[in-house]
Amino acid sequence: MSSTEKASSTDRTTLRRQLLAEREQWAQTGAREAAEESLAAHLREVLDALEPGLLGLYWPIRSEFNARAVFSADTALPPLALPFARKEPRVMEYRRWSGREEPRLLDECGIPSVEGASAVPDVVLVPCVGFNAEGFRLGYGGGYFDRWLAAHPQTTAVGIAWAGSEASFAPEPHDHPLMMIVTERGVVTPA
């Protein structure tokens, strides 16, 4: 994936498509394995510093980083939760999850989730299709995470992204900045 900043674009749909295509292409290269190990190490440090009481993860899709990789098989897991999205009304909630078994349920968007009790994490990991220097993320376009973050401003939002997905784009009024973005190159704090 190119590490050069993408050109500014007012067309977020085009930018999203471009970033996803580049990410998929990059994920097929040998660089991904080392990037995963590096991102996991940086994320471990962040989580050690934040000490979440309940950590909201996401189930990885479309070549996203698998955040479960920060926990080894013999590590005690912190309390965890996974998002569950509904299409109508367009809302998302977190549900408690042990983290040991794979999700056996699909949410209404077709993303693996669980049947656990509804919960509000104090720290959430947010997958990024793209991100900018100001700490805003470009997601898949559904607005689920932005709506959830707007309803839970006390939650610490940590973006998870591959470094090559940094792009120049203007945030929209509904976008919520992330506290930081963790990449394989380190932690990006908003400018």
Side-chain angles (χ1 to χ4, degrees), residues 51-57 71 76-82 95-99 119 121-123:
E51 298 180 338
L54 178 61
L55 176 62
L57 294 178
F71 307 109
L77 295 172
L80 300 172
L82 279 177
R95 295 178 172 184
R96 289 193 178 268
W97 175 51
S98 75
D122 57 315
V123 176

Side-chain angles (χ1 to χ4, degrees), residues 83-87 92 105-114:
F84 183 94
R86 298 186 188 284
K87 286 189 173 183
M92 184 177 83
L105 172 73
L106 294 179
D107 70 13
E108 292 181 8
C109 293
I111 299 170
S113 189
V114 292

Side-chain angles (χ1 to χ4, degrees), residues 35-119:
E36 286 176 339
E37 290 175 17
S38 182
L39 200 155
H42 292 298
L43 182 54
R44 256 186 236 99
E45 291 175 8
V46 166
L47 293 176
D48 286 347
L50 292 175
E51 298 180 338
L54 178 61
L55 176 62
L57 294 178
Y58 58 88
W59 192 258
I61 60 171
R62 302 183 72 179
S63 66
E64 292 172 341
F65 173 74
N66 183 354
R68 282 195 322 168
V70 302
F71 307 109
S72 63
D74 58 345
T75 302
L77 295 172
L80 300 172
L82 279 177
F84 183 94
R86 298 186 188 284
K87 286 189 173 183
E88 198 56 49
R90 196 176 275 206
V91 295
M92 184 177 83
E93 69 177 1
Y94 278 86
R95 295 178 172 184
R96 289 193 178 268
W97 175 51
S98 75
R100 295 291 182 206
E101 79 286 346
E102 295 211 1
R104 292 180 235 153
L105 172 73
L106 294 179
D107 70 13
E108 292 181 8
C109 293
I111 299 170
S113 189
V114 292
E115 295 180 3
S118 183

